[in-house]
Amino acid sequence: MNVVSRESATIPGYEPIPSFNKHRDMHRFASKVGDGYEKLLSQIKMLVEKVSGPLIKELEERKRILNDTEKGRWLLEYIDNIVSDFRPECVQSLHFPEWESHLHNQEIAGTDETCGWILAHKTFQPWKLAKDSGVLVVSGKPGCGKSVLTRFIHDHLKPSTPSTPHASSNTEIVVAFFSFNDRGARIEKTVSGMMRALLVQIFRQRPALLRELSVVETYQKLKRDQNTSNVKWDDKVLQNLLLQLQSSLAYYIVIDALDEALYYPSSTSQTPKESLNTPYDVISLIKRLTSQKNESDQPGQVKSATFHILLTGRPEIREERFMSDLIYEQVRLEVGQDDGHSLNEAIRRYSQSEVKRLFRGDNDKTTKLVDKITSRAGGIFLWANLVIKILIEKLSYTASFHDLEAKLDAFPEGMTDLYKNILHRNMGQNAHQRRIMLQWALFAGRPLTVRELQIAYHINLLKGTYKSENSMKEQMDLDWFKNSINGISSGLLELIPVKTSNKPLRFSLRHENEKKEVVQFIHQSVKEYLQNHLKDWFVESDVETEADAHVDLSKTCIKYLMLDGLPDGPTIDYDYYRRSEEYESRLQRFDFLECASVNLLKHVNAAWSLIKK
């Protein structure tokens, strides 16, 4: 007996899936296999993805508009939550939050005044408007402002609407960004992380590509093969997805800081699998993406994708052997080069706006101060930024012109001497605390959350003992510690907000989408300076070498693991990608447990290796 007609119980164009359960049991399945469960689930997911695609596209566009308006920023988190609910599961599995945090947490924003010159540059416009694929390399010394410039270029390239066409070929464009970050988590330094971040952005802007490239099917196969929802995307799979982007679209890909990518050169003691050359892998991928010429003018041929790739790095990358057969145009942000004048002018305009916060005298004296900062910066944007910040911190706008001039003259030129000056100006009572904080940031292996650093700092600093982590937290003020990080580190550390996830591969396993702040160096050049000049900040007789630092850190891990209340014994885990509920529960209850347990042996091994040498 039919309760309702077939026409009213089915949707035209879709396959009817009969269920022979009783009416009251229709919402229950005995298991996830058999009885039509998998077939019904796949149909529901397909419908959801079909409906959610246009919605995601609209929300992402509104998010971009809000991000450009100060009043709309507070809505971004709400929109993020909505988008994450509708984004296809396969795209979610590709996503990791660190790349997005790095993009949006840049302290200095490029403006038309400081960065607008690049838009009229003799190599930028031909690269941007070319009908064929091409590469533009922007090189410059550490701290010259490459990252500020690339963020400005990325924002300039973003289309005003999702269907904005390419200026010269009337082709719709897609813009994606990635910045390698040696101060961040491992995934931020690898070609795998780069490809995942680029694909997430591409699929967000063009959800139809998920169907064209069979991404959902690939993801489902990986889930079955790996028997887990925490899918590990193989580099070959990711590369193939990028190489298959042959729709008639123009892709603008901005890749910042190639010099910060992981690089482990092969040696006589290493097997080929142990060596890693991420810059080489990136350039190899770029060569493959840009090698195909646009043949759309030929009758009967489908127009292929074009890739306009902008790459930044230090001047040395131009000398690398793997760059030799890459065809590219270049912008050289170096004093003495043609583009050095534009860089100095950008520093001058930035200094002009900031000096107003220091000095309210006549225009001639203001101009002299700006000229002095620009001249002494030597084409290093970071030098001007740090010096002005120190002056603002130490002096008020009531300071006289002669005071400001004398203070400026006291700062040495060049980043190495400036960092040394900053450390030696603060060699008093905070030197011991600063050494503890800086060595954790330098040798921990990944960025620590504020709470992790606070626990490590207190165990290192205080000679007393604690019964448990909770008793320790009762004596610690998190807000005070956060506000003290800048002062204790002499301004060399900063807090970066990051949305963490409960998936592995990253620095913290906590509640899904929980907001965290991690502590990292203000610039890659700070990390390199501290690594190469240990004696400038290792002020105690018991910590003189890098090996001593690793011994000190391992002692802190041991002290923590000896606290009462920590769980005993291992958890039962299937593998790295399928962690047990007990494992996750422990990490949520004990803030420093992951860092101490994972890094203890790493610090011991690092100390032993250095001592043997």
Side-chain angles (χ1 to χ4, degrees):
M1 180 180 71
N2 290 331
V3 178
V4 294
S5 66
R6 181 181 180 85
E7 288 73 21
S8 64
T10 58
I11 302 174
Y14 291 92
E15 177 190 358
I17 303 174
S19 177
F20 298 101
N21 295 322
K22 294 181 180 179
H23 188 271
R24 65 180 182 180
D25 294 327
M26 282 184 66
H27 64 294
R28 301 172 184 169
F29 286 91
S31 70
K32 292 185 177 181
V33 293
D35 200 25
Y37 175 86
E38 291 178 323
K39 190 172 184 180
L40 180 60
L41 183 63
S42 65
Q43 289 290 318
I44 292 173
K45 283 187 174 182
M46 186 178 70
L47 288 170
V48 169
E49 290 176 5
K50 185 173 182 179
V51 172
S52 65
L55 176 61
I56 292 171
K57 201 171 177 180
E58 182 178 352
L59 286 173
E60 289 292 344
E61 173 58 21
R62 292 188 181 278
K63 177 181 174 182
R64 189 196 70 77
I65 295 171
L66 286 170
N67 196 43
D68 291 339
T69 59
E70 190 172 345
K71 290 182 179 179
R73 293 181 190 276
W74 64 275
L75 287 171
L76 288 179
E77 185 176 350
Y78 174 72
I79 290 178
D80 268 338
N81 290 334
I82 295 175
V83 170
S84 64
D85 288 340
F86 284 96
R87 191 169 290 132
E89 187 181 336
C90 57
V91 180
Q92 290 282 63
S93 73
L94 285 167
H95 179 264
F96 60 98
E98 289 86 349
W99 73 266
E100 212 160 14
S101 298
H102 193 69
L103 173 63
H104 295 305
N105 290 320
Q106 192 167 277
E107 181 185 1
I108 304 174
T111 64
D112 288 334
E113 286 192 338
T114 57
C115 298
W117 61 270
I118 190 67
L119 304 182
H121 193 275
K122 61 183 180 182
T123 59
F124 180 81
Q125 284 300 323
W127 167 82
K128 177 187 174 183
L129 300 176
K131 291 184 178 180
D132 290 322
S133 300
V135 181
L136 178 62
V137 176
V138 178
S139 61
K141 293 180 180 179
C144 72
K146 298 185 295 293
S147 294
V148 176
L149 187 64
T150 51
R151 169 67 192 275
F152 175 82
I153 291 171
H154 168 265
D155 291 346
H156 165 75
L157 291 172
K158 282 193 303 188
S160 55
T161 64
S163 57
T164 298
H166 184 281
S168 64
S169 62
N170 206 34
T171 302
E172 291 186 10
I173 67 175
V174 175
V175 180
F177 172 92
F178 183 75
S179 179
F180 286 100
N181 181 20
D182 187 51
R183 295 159 287 156
R186 179 183 173 87
I187 195 169
E188 297 178 78
K189 313 171 196 179
T190 64
V191 69
S192 176
M194 180 196 76
M195 291 189 292
R196 284 172 58 178
L198 295 178
L199 285 169
V200 166
Q201 295 168 77
I202 290 168
F203 293 148
R204 283 179 179 179
Q205 295 171 61
R206 293 293 181 273
L209 289 171
L210 292 169
R211 184 185 67 256
E212 291 179 23
L213 303 180
S214 303
V215 181
V216 176
E217 290 79 1
T218 301
Y219 170 69
Q220 295 293 348
K221 184 178 185 303
L222 290 172
K223 277 179 65 175
R224 290 193 301 271
D225 293 346
Q226 299 175 20
N227 195 25
T228 175
S229 58
N230 287 328
V231 165
K232 179 182 179 182
W233 289 84
D234 183 81
D235 282 2
K236 288 184 179 179
V237 174
L238 297 171
Q239 188 177 101
N240 286 336
L241 288 175
L242 284 168
L243 293 172
Q244 289 170 28
L245 294 172
Q246 294 303 318
S247 303
S248 54
L249 295 169
Y251 295 90
Y252 286 86
I253 296 176
V254 180
I255 302 172
D256 185 31
L258 180 63
D259 49 275
E260 295 188 35
L262 277 182
Y263 176 50
Y264 300 140
S266 58
S267 66
T268 54
S269 62
Q270 289 177 313
T271 66
K273 288 185 178 179
E274 290 173 328
S275 63
L276 180 67
N277 192 338
T278 301
Y280 172 83
D281 294 337
V282 172
I283 298 302
S284 297
L285 176 61
I286 289 174
K287 289 175 183 176
R288 295 187 67 182
L289 288 173
T290 57
S291 62
Q292 184 171 352
K293 293 291 184 181
N294 193 334
E295 307 291 347
S296 60
D297 294 334
Q298 296 186 13
Q301 281 202 340
V302 178
K303 185 178 181 181
S304 61
T306 58
F307 292 90
H308 306 259
I309 297 175
L310 186 141
L311 186 67
T312 77
R314 299 181 182 184
E316 302 88 75
I317 68 166
R318 300 194 311 267
E319 311 303 323
E320 293 288 351
R321 188 168 56 185
F322 53 74
M323 293 283 287
S324 60
D325 56 344
L326 177 69
I327 301 173
Y328 63 90
E329 297 295 330
Q330 62 179 316
V331 177
R332 300 177 67 174
L333 300 178
E334 301 164 54
V335 175
Q337 300 295 329
D338 291 342
D339 304 315
H341 174 74
S342 299
L343 177 60
N344 276 333
E345 187 59 30
I347 294 172
R348 179 186 303 280
R349 292 184 177 184
Y350 168 75
S351 302
Q352 208 162 20
S353 64
E354 294 297 308
V355 163
K356 293 176 183 177
R357 300 167 61 186
L358 277 168
F359 184 68
R360 297 186 180 180
D362 60 63
N363 289 335
D364 289 342
K365 289 181 177 179
T366 300
T367 301
K368 285 183 180 180
L369 289 174
V370 170
D371 288 344
K372 185 179 284 287
I373 292 171
T374 304
S375 173
R376 306 202 67 219
I380 305 300
F381 214 110
L382 182 62
W383 190 96
N385 173 250
L386 280 178
V387 166
I388 290 172
K389 276 171 51 174
I390 293 170
L391 291 175
I392 290 174
E393 181 184 335
K394 301 295 182 184
L395 301 171
S396 69
Y397 67 85
T398 57
S400 69
F401 171 76
H402 295 294
D403 286 340
L404 284 170
E405 196 171 37
K407 289 287 185 184
L408 271 175
D409 288 336
F411 287 110
E413 296 180 8
M415 293 310 301
T416 298
D417 289 334
L418 179 61
Y419 289 142
K420 185 174 183 178
N421 177 273
I422 289 172
L423 290 171
H424 279 264
R425 282 190 301 106
N426 297 281
M427 288 297 274
Q429 59 181 357
N430 284 339
H432 177 59
Q433 292 95 314
R434 182 181 64 200
R435 192 268 300 168
I436 292 171
M437 193 173 283
L438 291 179
Q439 79 176 16
W440 272 105
L442 184 60
F443 298 121
R446 62 163 174 79
L448 300 185
T449 65
V450 176
R451 177 63 87 181
E452 285 176 327
L453 181 61
Q454 184 186 32
I455 292 173
Y457 175 81
H458 274 75
I459 294 176
N460 250 122
L461 185 63
L462 302 178
K463 301 303 180 183
T465 58
Y466 297 99
K467 288 186 176 180
S468 66
E469 183 180 302
N470 286 335
S471 66
M472 187 189 309
K473 289 178 184 177
E474 289 173 1
Q475 301 182 40
M476 298 189 306
D477 185 333
L478 186 61
D479 290 333
W480 174 87
F481 184 74
K482 286 169 66 173
N483 294 330
S484 301
I485 288 174
N486 182 269
I488 294 173
S489 69
S490 300
L492 300 181
L493 294 176
E494 63 182 351
L495 303 183
I496 299 294
V498 174
K499 242 185 191 179
T500 64
S501 169
N502 65 353
K503 294 179 182 178
L505 288 179
R506 292 189 285 280
F507 55 81
S508 183
L509 300 180
R510 295 292 188 267
H511 302 292
E512 180 72 19
N513 286 335
E514 182 180 358
K515 278 186 132 181
K516 291 285 181 183
E517 285 182 304
V518 298
V519 183
Q520 68 176 35
F521 294 113
I522 58 172
H523 193 266
Q524 174 66 10
S525 58
V526 176
K527 179 179 178 180
E528 293 170 357
Y529 169 79
L530 294 175
Q531 284 176 322
N532 297 326
H533 299 83
L534 296 178
K535 291 182 179 179
D536 288 349
W537 58 286
F538 276 12
V539 294
E540 295 112 325
S541 59
D542 58 332
V543 180
E544 296 180 339
T545 66
E546 184 177 340
D548 293 334
H550 282 291
V551 170
D552 198 41
L553 298 180
S554 64
K555 287 179 179 178
T556 302
C557 294
I558 292 171
K559 286 180 182 178
Y560 175 84
L561 293 172
M562 291 176 68
L563 293 175
D564 292 339
L566 292 179
D568 295 326
T571 58
I572 300 174
D573 295 292
Y574 306 100
D575 57 42
Y576 188 77
Y577 290 89
R578 288 192 295 161
R579 295 174 168 180
S580 65
E581 291 183 7
E582 172 61 19
Y583 188 105
E584 302 288 356
S585 174
R586 289 185 186 185
L587 294 182
Q588 291 176 19
R589 285 183 287 145
F590 302 101
D591 289 295
F592 197 61
L593 179 59
E594 181 190 26
C595 185
S597 57
V598 169
N599 289 318
L600 170 58
L601 290 180
K602 290 183 179 179
H603 292 307
V604 171
N605 289 333
W608 178 240
S609 298
L610 291 165
I611 290 168
K612 285 196 299 183
K613 289 180 181 179

